[in-house]
Amino acid sequence: MRLDELLDELQVRIDAVRGTRDRVHSLLEAVVSVGRELDLAQVLRRIVEAAALLVDAEYGALGVIGPDGRTLSQFLTVGLAEKEIAAIGPLPAGHGLLGEVIHHPEPLRLTDLGAHSSSHGFPAHHPPMRTFLGVPIRVRDEVFGNLYLTDKRGGIDFDPEDETVISTLSVAAGVAIDNARLYEGSQRQQRWLRANAEITESLLSGSSRPVVLELIARRAQEITAARLADISMPVAGAEGLVVEFAVGADSEARLGLVVPLAGTLSGAAHRTGRSIASLHACDDDRYPADAQVQDGLGPAVAVPLGTAAGASRGVLLLARPWGEPAFGEGELEPLVAFAGQAALALELAERRRDAEQIALLEERDRIARDLHDLAIQRLFATGMTLQSAARLIEHEGAAERVGRAVDDLDETIKIIRSTIFGLRTKDRESGPGLRARAARAVGDAATALGHPPRLSMEGLLDTDVPPQIADHVMAVLGELLSNAARHARSTRVGVILKAGPGEITLTVSDNGRGIPAQGRRSGLRNLAERAEGLGGSFTVDAPEEGGSRLVWRAPLPTGS
């Protein structure tokens, strides 16, 4: 009997040693597996999968702590199917028991997580969980995130050995995360350098400003893996920014959008001259105006193109989907440098445009001088000669013809002088142009409409549209926006202002209830009379998709 007891005890110890050996072997395999990856997303996924496997946990999660140090910016799970995750709803932000490990970065082991004072219970459709093990992950003495493990299989509790194994894994995970971040940072830096070189090369090759804006937005979106990228530019005389280029999610809806300076990420970046980040762009209380146009977007950052407060050349906005990592310091530093380079590129484009404009004006002045000093003097001298010769002509018909020729020369001289005056005064304007006035009017209408309208402007609105016609356009625009706010009950309003060859066109469309057939139309009649008085037209259409489409046209003077 004594021998049997000793043999049983020996078998138990052998099993324990074998179990320890197998566990150490599994831990070493997990460390090697985690350290083998260089992609940060894959590293994080392998860490949480290895942790759940090592302690035989049914559920596992890894929460990445956001820049504020108090909430989670990313949450990866193991053990839950996609349908279960969708049914639970928004991912945890780091409150309750999860926040306990954030605020006190030490291992936490519980036999009943619901009994803990920090536990707030589970949301609807969340599977029940009892046992809990939480361990922080440190990267260079900084807490990067936390491992959360629940419900050890077999219904038993997590023991001290489980805690030791996960703590050991967390050390290896910290090293692996650090290596992945360093590698990712070096790769990102190379991509930023290539993007800067591409933009500079594009400018030196003579690319236009819209092409440069598109290149800036697309490269920034690709490098940061953003779902949305847009560039909004200030308009002189208008209290807002206009989105001139957008790529990614809802880009069509954002293109031409008038972004107010108050209550938006882009507006804050423009006003302060520094980058502004948000963990949840679609419901950030600091920027309520963004919530109306950025539904479904999560982490976002707005970077000014230039560092002067209130005087940036534009704002680059980047946003990721909900649940994606926030923009960290490692990403913001090269992004700010890229935005600075982009601002220099835009300044170079503007300087080139100014130089071309100056060259054009100088050429006009040269033409005006030549016309005045050469053509007019010659014509005047020819006229004087003909007048003198007319006295010597005895034939009455010939004398009359010479007199008419002299009159024609006088008229030609007047036309040339008028042309000279036009050449020297072209493009010299005072006060805000039609483009700025339209942008301001559309921006002001956002409050009455309940949402920001979309504005698209094409053509030489400030140079080809005479002031009197511009005043009519502004009156019509104000009336149409007011009608949309009072009667349309729409959720989307679009404004297109286009100056084409010989005509200016204003189109205002909405997705509201349309214009009733028996409704009052006195205001619309006034708009039609304005157009007819200028020789234009005014039409009201009902698109198939609903709403209304109103088009106001007026001719432009030839030669403008």
Side-chain angles (χ1 to χ4, degrees):
M1 292 294 293
R2 178 60 178 167
L3 180 60
D4 290 340
E5 291 177 1
L6 291 175
L7 288 174
D8 291 340
E9 183 178 353
L10 178 61
Q11 185 63 44
V12 170
R13 292 188 179 184
I14 290 174
D15 292 340
V17 171
R18 184 181 294 113
T20 302
R21 183 200 63 187
D22 293 342
R23 198 161 203 185
V24 170
H25 182 70
S26 300
L27 178 59
L28 290 175
E29 283 186 343
V31 169
V32 172
S33 174
V34 168
R36 187 184 298 121
E37 292 289 343
L38 287 175
D39 181 74
L40 183 57
Q42 290 296 326
V43 169
L44 298 180
R45 173 60 60 183
R46 284 188 177 274
I47 289 171
V48 65
E49 289 175 348
L53 184 63
L54 283 173
V55 296
D56 202 21
E58 186 172 355
Y59 304 106
L62 192 155
V64 179
I65 299 176
D68 59 1
R70 301 187 303 273
T71 57
L72 298 176
S73 62
Q74 192 178 2
F75 198 75
L76 291 80
T77 61
V78 169
L80 292 174
E82 292 294 333
K83 291 183 178 180
E84 293 178 297
I85 296 174
I88 293 172
L91 296 174
H95 305 299
L97 187 58
L98 301 184
E100 183 71 18
V101 187
I102 296 176
H103 302 313
H104 303 91
E106 298 293 339
L108 178 63
R109 182 161 44 90
L110 303 172
T111 57
D112 185 4
L113 58 86
H116 194 275
S117 59
S118 298
S119 179
H120 294 167
F122 297 112
H125 308 293
H126 194 289
M129 297 179 181
R130 188 180 66 84
T131 57
F132 175 86
L133 175 60
V135 176
I137 299 176
R138 287 182 169 84
V139 177
R140 296 190 179 187
D141 297 328
E142 176 187 348
V143 179
F144 173 84
N146 298 307
L147 276 171
Y148 304 107
L149 302 159
T150 61
D151 286 5
K152 187 167 183 175
R153 299 183 190 278
I156 58 179
D157 297 337
F158 293 108
D159 54 30
E161 188 176 342
D162 293 327
E163 181 180 322
T164 302
V165 168
I166 298 302
S167 297
T168 304
L169 178 65
S170 70
V171 174
V175 176
I177 291 170
D178 192 30
N179 289 337
R181 289 203 301 186
L182 290 173
Y183 177 78
E184 189 177 78
S186 65
Q187 293 295 307
R188 188 187 305 116
Q189 186 68 29
Q190 289 184 11
R191 292 196 293 269
W192 284 124
L193 291 174
R194 286 196 296 267
N196 282 328
E198 187 178 0
I199 292 170
T200 303
E201 181 181 356
S202 176
L203 279 171
L204 293 177
S205 64
S207 297
S208 63
R209 181 170 172 271
V211 172
V212 175
L213 290 179
E214 178 179 356
L215 191 58
I216 292 171
R218 289 193 182 279
R219 293 298 173 266
Q221 183 203 24
E222 292 169 1
I223 295 173
T224 60
R227 183 184 176 194
L228 167 71
D230 71 36
I231 295 180
S232 51
M233 309 296 288
V235 179
E239 291 296 320
L241 306 168
V242 176
V243 178
E244 292 198 10
F245 183 82
V247 60
D250 301 326
S251 57
E252 293 184 0
R254 289 192 64 82
L255 190 61
L257 191 70
V258 178
V259 180
L261 294 182
T264 62
L265 269 173
S266 297
H270 177 70
R271 284 186 287 106
T272 61
R274 58 186 179 85
S275 59
I276 305 292
S278 172
L279 289 178
H280 306 293
C282 63
D283 63 353
D284 195 323
D285 295 337
R286 298 174 300 169
Y287 312 108
D290 279 333
Q292 303 174 11
V293 294
Q294 297 188 168
D295 186 29
L297 295 179
V301 62
V303 184
L305 304 178
T307 56
S312 68
R313 298 188 177 275
V315 177
L316 171 63
L317 175 69
L318 299 167
R320 288 172 174 156
W322 184 279
E324 290 293 311
F327 290 88
E329 290 298 327
E331 289 181 290
L332 289 180
E333 186 175 348
L335 179 57
V336 170
F338 173 77
Q341 183 73 14
L344 291 176
L346 290 175
E347 183 175 358
L348 178 58
E350 290 179 6
R351 292 292 178 266
R352 174 177 291 167
R353 185 185 60 188
D354 292 343
E356 292 172 352
Q357 184 70 10
I358 291 172
L360 176 63
L361 295 176
E362 289 177 346
E363 180 65 12
R364 287 176 176 171
D365 284 340
R366 184 192 64 77
I367 295 172
R369 284 195 306 270
D370 290 347
L371 287 173
H372 183 272
D373 297 342
L374 300 176
I376 288 182
Q377 299 304 324
R378 282 176 175 268
L379 290 172
F380 186 75
T382 302
M384 294 292 291
T385 302
L386 289 174
Q387 279 184 327
S388 299
R391 300 189 188 98
L392 303 177
I393 299 175
E394 296 180 356
H395 192 281
E396 183 177 350
E400 183 181 351
R401 290 185 179 182
V402 171
R404 285 202 303 268
V406 171
D407 292 339
D408 289 342
L409 287 174
D410 287 340
E411 188 64 28
T412 302
I413 291 173
K414 291 179 181 178
I415 293 174
I416 293 176
R417 282 176 172 165
S418 176
T419 303
I420 292 172
F421 179 79
L423 286 171
R424 287 178 170 171
T425 58
K426 189 77 168 175
D427 301 329
R428 296 175 186 175
E429 302 173 352
S430 59
L434 178 57
R435 183 177 293 268
R437 294 170 66 188
R440 186 190 305 118
V442 172
D444 292 343
T447 303
L449 290 168
H451 55 85
R454 183 177 64 181
L455 173 64
S456 175
M457 295 184 283
E458 301 179 28
L460 302 176
L461 296 170
D462 292 341
T463 56
D464 284 4
V465 184
Q468 62 272 22
I469 296 181
D471 291 340
H472 282 289
V473 171
M474 291 307 302
V476 173
L477 176 60
E479 178 68 17
L480 293 178
L481 290 174
S482 176
N483 286 344
R486 287 181 295 169
H487 308 302
R489 298 181 183 176
S490 62
T491 59
R492 185 178 68 252
V493 173
V495 178
I496 301 175
L497 185 57
K498 180 179 180 180
E503 184 182 62
I504 184 168
T505 305
L506 171 64
T507 304
V508 177
S509 58
D510 63 70
N511 65 344
R513 61 177 184 174
I515 298 176
Q518 306 300 326
R520 295 179 57 188
R521 291 176 174 256
S522 57
L524 299 182
R525 281 198 301 272
N526 292 337
L527 300 184
E529 290 173 0
R530 278 183 181 272
E532 292 168 359
L534 296 172
S537 63
F538 178 65
T539 59
V540 179
D541 299 327
E544 295 181 359
E545 61 272 17
S548 60
R549 183 174 181 268
L550 301 97
V551 182
W552 189 91
R553 291 184 173 88
L556 295 176
T558 58
S560 61

PDB file of all heavy atoms in Angstrom, residues 428-452:
ATOM      1  N   ARG A 428      -8.266  94.446 -61.835  1.00  0.00           N
ATOM      2  CA  ARG A 428      -7.969  95.278 -60.670  1.00  0.00           C
ATOM      3  C   ARG A 428      -9.293  95.586 -59.991  1.00  0.00           C
ATOM      4  O   ARG A 428     -10.022  96.494 -60.393  1.00  0.00           O
ATOM      5  CB  ARG A 428      -7.261  96.562 -61.096  1.00  0.00           C
ATOM      6  CG  ARG A 428      -5.889  96.281 -61.718  1.00  0.00           C
ATOM      7  CD  ARG A 428      -5.239  97.528 -62.248  1.00  0.00           C
ATOM      8  NE  ARG A 428      -3.996  97.220 -62.954  1.00  0.00           N
ATOM      9  CZ  ARG A 428      -3.262  98.118 -63.597  1.00  0.00           C
ATOM     10  NH1 ARG A 428      -3.635  99.378 -63.630  1.00  0.00           N
ATOM     11  NH2 ARG A 428      -2.158  97.747 -64.218  1.00  0.00           N
ATOM     12  N   GLU A 429      -9.596  94.868 -59.004  1.00  0.00           N
ATOM     13  CA  GLU A 429     -10.906  94.956 -58.367  1.00  0.00           C
ATOM     14  C   GLU A 429     -10.763  95.372 -56.920  1.00  0.00           C
ATOM     15  O   GLU A 429      -9.716  95.220 -56.308  1.00  0.00           O
ATOM     16  CB  GLU A 429     -11.617  93.603 -58.442  1.00  0.00           C
ATOM     17  CG  GLU A 429     -11.791  93.094 -59.866  1.00  0.00           C
ATOM     18  CD  GLU A 429     -12.333  91.690 -59.885  1.00  0.00           C
ATOM     19  OE1 GLU A 429     -12.413  91.101 -58.805  1.00  0.00           O
ATOM     20  OE2 GLU A 429     -12.662  91.220 -60.969  1.00  0.00           O
ATOM     21  N   SER A 430     -11.839  95.833 -56.346  1.00  0.00           N
ATOM     22  CA  SER A 430     -11.865  96.182 -54.930  1.00  0.00           C
ATOM     23  C   SER A 430     -13.029  95.461 -54.278  1.00  0.00           C
ATOM     24  O   SER A 430     -14.085  95.303 -54.885  1.00  0.00           O
ATOM     25  CB  SER A 430     -12.023  97.709 -54.758  1.00  0.00           C
ATOM     26  OG  SER A 430     -13.219  98.150 -55.370  1.00  0.00           O
ATOM     27  N   GLY A 431     -12.835  95.053 -53.017  1.00  0.00           N
ATOM     28  CA  GLY A 431     -13.883  94.356 -52.304  1.00  0.00           C
ATOM     29  C   GLY A 431     -13.934  92.882 -52.655  1.00  0.00           C
ATOM     30  O   GLY A 431     -13.287  92.436 -53.590  1.00  0.00           O
ATOM     31  N   PRO A 432     -14.700  92.112 -51.895  1.00  0.00           N
ATOM     32  CA  PRO A 432     -14.783  90.673 -52.149  1.00  0.00           C
ATOM     33  C   PRO A 432     -15.473  90.382 -53.470  1.00  0.00           C
ATOM     34  O   PRO A 432     -16.415  91.065 -53.886  1.00  0.00           O
ATOM     35  CB  PRO A 432     -15.608  90.161 -50.959  1.00  0.00           C
ATOM     36  CG  PRO A 432     -16.387  91.346 -50.503  1.00  0.00           C
ATOM     37  CD  PRO A 432     -15.522  92.543 -50.768  1.00  0.00           C
ATOM     38  N   GLY A 433     -15.010  89.343 -54.152  1.00  0.00           N
ATOM     39  CA  GLY A 433     -15.593  88.958 -55.424  1.00  0.00           C
ATOM     40  C   GLY A 433     -16.799  88.065 -55.236  1.00  0.00           C
ATOM     41  O   GLY A 433     -17.217  87.737 -54.120  1.00  0.00           O
ATOM     42  N   LEU A 434     -17.371  87.650 -56.361  1.00  0.00           N
ATOM     43  CA  LEU A 434     -18.569  86.808 -56.328  1.00  0.00           C
ATOM     44  C   LEU A 434     -18.283  85.477 -55.657  1.00  0.00           C
ATOM     45  O   LEU A 434     -19.129  84.934 -54.940  1.00  0.00           O
ATOM     46  CB  LEU A 434     -19.074  86.598 -57.761  1.00  0.00           C
ATOM     47  CG  LEU A 434     -20.302  85.690 -57.919  1.00  0.00           C
ATOM     48  CD1 LEU A 434     -21.476  86.207 -57.108  1.00  0.00           C
ATOM     49  CD2 LEU A 434     -20.666  85.565 -59.394  1.00  0.00           C
ATOM     50  N   ARG A 435     -17.101  84.924 -55.858  1.00  0.00           N
ATOM     51  CA  ARG A 435     -16.756  83.640 -55.260  1.00  0.00           C
ATOM     52  C   ARG A 435     -16.824  83.705 -53.728  1.00  0.00           C
ATOM     53  O   ARG A 435     -17.415  82.831 -53.078  1.00  0.00           O
ATOM     54  CB  ARG A 435     -15.354  83.227 -55.725  1.00  0.00           C
ATOM     55  CG  ARG A 435     -14.889  81.871 -55.237  1.00  0.00           C
ATOM     56  CD  ARG A 435     -13.531  81.538 -55.822  1.00  0.00           C
ATOM     57  NE  ARG A 435     -13.607  81.335 -57.263  1.00  0.00           N
ATOM     58  CZ  ARG A 435     -13.793  80.160 -57.839  1.00  0.00           C
ATOM     59  NH1 ARG A 435     -13.924  79.077 -57.106  1.00  0.00           N
ATOM     60  NH2 ARG A 435     -13.848  80.061 -59.149  1.00  0.00           N
ATOM     61  N   ALA A 436     -16.217  84.736 -53.144  1.00  0.00           N
ATOM     62  CA  ALA A 436     -16.231  84.884 -51.687  1.00  0.00           C
ATOM     63  C   ALA A 436     -17.634  85.168 -51.171  1.00  0.00           C
ATOM     64  O   ALA A 436     -18.049  84.646 -50.126  1.00  0.00           O
ATOM     65  CB  ALA A 436     -15.270  85.993 -51.266  1.00  0.00           C
ATOM     66  N   ARG A 437     -18.387  86.001 -51.893  1.00  0.00           N
ATOM     67  CA  ARG A 437     -19.748  86.333 -51.460  1.00  0.00           C
ATOM     68  C   ARG A 437     -20.642  85.094 -51.469  1.00  0.00           C
ATOM     69  O   ARG A 437     -21.445  84.881 -50.553  1.00  0.00           O
ATOM     70  CB  ARG A 437     -20.321  87.416 -52.364  1.00  0.00           C
ATOM     71  CG  ARG A 437     -19.604  88.755 -52.262  1.00  0.00           C
ATOM     72  CD  ARG A 437     -20.059  89.708 -53.357  1.00  0.00           C
ATOM     73  NE  ARG A 437     -21.456  90.087 -53.208  1.00  0.00           N
ATOM     74  CZ  ARG A 437     -22.139  90.789 -54.124  1.00  0.00           C
ATOM     75  NH1 ARG A 437     -21.546  91.150 -55.251  1.00  0.00           N
ATOM     76  NH2 ARG A 437     -23.402  91.100 -53.905  1.00  0.00           N
ATOM     77  N   ALA A 438     -20.497  84.263 -52.506  1.00  0.00           N
ATOM     78  CA  ALA A 438     -21.306  83.049 -52.582  1.00  0.00           C
ATOM     79  C   ALA A 438     -20.941  82.076 -51.472  1.00  0.00           C
ATOM     80  O   ALA A 438     -21.814  81.459 -50.848  1.00  0.00           O
ATOM     81  CB  ALA A 438     -21.128  82.390 -53.951  1.00  0.00           C
ATOM     82  N   ALA A 439     -19.642  81.911 -51.204  1.00  0.00           N
ATOM     83  CA  ALA A 439     -19.208  81.006 -50.138  1.00  0.00           C
ATOM     84  C   ALA A 439     -19.736  81.466 -48.789  1.00  0.00           C
ATOM     85  O   ALA A 439     -20.160  80.659 -47.960  1.00  0.00           O
ATOM     86  CB  ALA A 439     -17.684  80.918 -50.117  1.00  0.00           C
ATOM     87  N   ARG A 440     -19.723  82.792 -48.559  1.00  0.00           N
ATOM     88  CA  ARG A 440     -20.229  83.311 -47.286  1.00  0.00           C
ATOM     89  C   ARG A 440     -21.725  83.070 -47.163  1.00  0.00           C
ATOM     90  O   ARG A 440     -22.229  82.671 -46.101  1.00  0.00           O
ATOM     91  CB  ARG A 440     -19.920  84.798 -47.172  1.00  0.00           C
ATOM     92  CG  ARG A 440     -20.289  85.365 -45.789  1.00  0.00           C
ATOM     93  CD  ARG A 440     -20.229  86.887 -45.731  1.00  0.00           C
ATOM     94  NE  ARG A 440     -18.935  87.366 -46.156  1.00  0.00           N
ATOM     95  CZ  ARG A 440     -18.742  88.144 -47.222  1.00  0.00           C
ATOM     96  NH1 ARG A 440     -19.773  88.482 -47.982  1.00  0.00           N
ATOM     97  NH2 ARG A 440     -17.540  88.580 -47.530  1.00  0.00           N
ATOM     98  N   ALA A 441     -22.471  83.304 -48.240  1.00  0.00           N
ATOM     99  CA  ALA A 441     -23.925  83.117 -48.192  1.00  0.00           C
ATOM    100  C   ALA A 441     -24.290  81.661 -47.934  1.00  0.00           C
ATOM    101  O   ALA A 441     -25.191  81.356 -47.136  1.00  0.00           O
ATOM    102  CB  ALA A 441     -24.547  83.599 -49.496  1.00  0.00           C
ATOM    103  N   VAL A 442     -23.593  80.737 -48.575  1.00  0.00           N
ATOM    104  CA  VAL A 442     -23.875  79.318 -48.372  1.00  0.00           C
ATOM    105  C   VAL A 442     -23.503  78.896 -46.957  1.00  0.00           C
ATOM    106  O   VAL A 442     -24.219  78.118 -46.307  1.00  0.00           O
ATOM    107  CB  VAL A 442     -23.115  78.481 -49.418  1.00  0.00           C
ATOM    108  CG1 VAL A 442     -23.226  76.994 -49.100  1.00  0.00           C
ATOM    109  CG2 VAL A 442     -23.660  78.750 -50.814  1.00  0.00           C
ATOM    110  N   GLY A 443     -22.377  79.411 -46.455  1.00  0.00           N
ATOM    111  CA  GLY A 443     -21.987  79.086 -45.087  1.00  0.00           C
ATOM    112  C   GLY A 443     -22.988  79.605 -44.069  1.00  0.00           C
ATOM    113  O   GLY A 443     -23.323  78.922 -43.091  1.00  0.00           O
ATOM    114  N   ASP A 444     -23.502  80.818 -44.279  1.00  0.00           N
ATOM    115  CA  ASP A 444     -24.478  81.394 -43.346  1.00  0.00           C
ATOM    116  C   ASP A 444     -25.802  80.631 -43.366  1.00  0.00           C
ATOM    117  O   ASP A 444     -26.541  80.634 -42.383  1.00  0.00           O
ATOM    118  CB  ASP A 444     -24.730  82.861 -43.695  1.00  0.00           C
ATOM    119  CG  ASP A 444     -23.507  83.743 -43.438  1.00  0.00           C
ATOM    120  OD1 ASP A 444     -22.611  83.281 -42.699  1.00  0.00           O
ATOM    121  OD2 ASP A 444     -23.442  84.857 -43.985  1.00  0.00           O
ATOM    122  N   ALA A 445     -26.115  79.987 -44.494  1.00  0.00           N
ATOM    123  CA  ALA A 445     -27.391  79.283 -44.603  1.00  0.00           C
ATOM    124  C   ALA A 445     -27.410  77.973 -43.830  1.00  0.00           C
ATOM    125  O   ALA A 445     -28.472  77.382 -43.650  1.00  0.00           O
ATOM    126  CB  ALA A 445     -27.717  79.012 -46.069  1.00  0.00           C
ATOM    127  N   ALA A 446     -26.238  77.490 -43.384  1.00  0.00           N
ATOM    128  CA  ALA A 446     -26.178  76.196 -42.702  1.00  0.00           C
ATOM    129  C   ALA A 446     -27.038  76.180 -41.444  1.00  0.00           C
ATOM    130  O   ALA A 446     -27.691  75.177 -41.133  1.00  0.00           O
ATOM    131  CB  ALA A 446     -24.726  75.849 -42.372  1.00  0.00           C
ATOM    132  N   THR A 447     -27.068  77.283 -40.716  1.00  0.00           N
ATOM    133  CA  THR A 447     -27.845  77.334 -39.474  1.00  0.00           C
ATOM    134  C   THR A 447     -29.337  77.191 -39.753  1.00  0.00           C
ATOM    135  O   THR A 447     -30.047  76.430 -39.092  1.00  0.00           O
ATOM    136  CB  THR A 447     -27.569  78.648 -38.736  1.00  0.00           C
ATOM    137  OG1 THR A 447     -26.166  78.764 -38.477  1.00  0.00           O
ATOM    138  CG2 THR A 447     -28.319  78.693 -37.424  1.00  0.00           C
ATOM    139  N   ALA A 448     -29.831  77.926 -40.739  1.00  0.00           N
ATOM    140  CA  ALA A 448     -31.262  77.869 -41.052  1.00  0.00           C
ATOM    141  C   ALA A 448     -31.657  76.523 -41.637  1.00  0.00           C
ATOM    142  O   ALA A 448     -32.747  76.004 -41.362  1.00  0.00           O
ATOM    143  CB  ALA A 448     -31.625  78.996 -42.018  1.00  0.00           C
ATOM    144  N   LEU A 449     -30.786  75.932 -42.436  1.00  0.00           N
ATOM    145  CA  LEU A 449     -31.094  74.646 -43.061  1.00  0.00           C
ATOM    146  C   LEU A 449     -30.997  73.487 -42.077  1.00  0.00           C
ATOM    147  O   LEU A 449     -31.643  72.461 -42.260  1.00  0.00           O
ATOM    148  CB  LEU A 449     -30.149  74.392 -44.237  1.00  0.00           C
ATOM    149  CG  LEU A 449     -30.336  75.267 -45.481  1.00  0.00           C
ATOM    150  CD1 LEU A 449     -29.158  75.103 -46.423  1.00  0.00           C
ATOM    151  CD2 LEU A 449     -31.633  74.890 -46.193  1.00  0.00           C
ATOM    152  N   GLY A 450     -30.128  73.621 -41.075  1.00  0.00           N
ATOM    153  CA  GLY A 450     -29.907  72.525 -40.137  1.00  0.00           C
ATOM    154  C   GLY A 450     -28.800  71.593 -40.557  1.00  0.00           C
ATOM    155  O   GLY A 450     -28.510  70.614 -39.877  1.00  0.00           O
ATOM    156  N   HIS A 451     -28.174  71.883 -41.678  1.00  0.00           N
ATOM    157  CA  HIS A 451     -27.050  71.079 -42.173  1.00  0.00           C
ATOM    158  C   HIS A 451     -26.262  71.947 -43.150  1.00  0.00           C
ATOM    159  O   HIS A 451     -26.820  72.870 -43.763  1.00  0.00           O
ATOM    160  CB  HIS A 451     -27.535  69.806 -42.869  1.00  0.00           C
ATOM    161  CG  HIS A 451     -28.509  70.076 -43.987  1.00  0.00           C
ATOM    162  ND1 HIS A 451     -28.109  70.385 -45.265  1.00  0.00           N
ATOM    163  CD2 HIS A 451     -29.871  70.108 -44.002  1.00  0.00           C
ATOM    164  CE1 HIS A 451     -29.160  70.578 -46.029  1.00  0.00           C
ATOM    165  NE2 HIS A 451     -30.253  70.424 -45.283  1.00  0.00           N
ATOM    166  N   PRO A 452     -24.969  71.682 -43.304  1.00  0.00           N
ATOM    167  CA  PRO A 452     -24.177  72.512 -44.225  1.00  0.00           C
ATOM    168  C   PRO A 452     -24.463  72.151 -45.674  1.00  0.00           C
ATOM    169  O   PRO A 452     -24.449  70.979 -46.047  1.00  0.00           O
ATOM    170  CB  PRO A 452     -22.724  72.161 -43.848  1.00  0.00           C
ATOM    171  CG  PRO A 452     -22.807  70.814 -43.233  1.00  0.00           C
ATOM    172  CD  PRO A 452     -24.148  70.717 -42.571  1.00  0.00           C
TER     173      PRO A 452
END
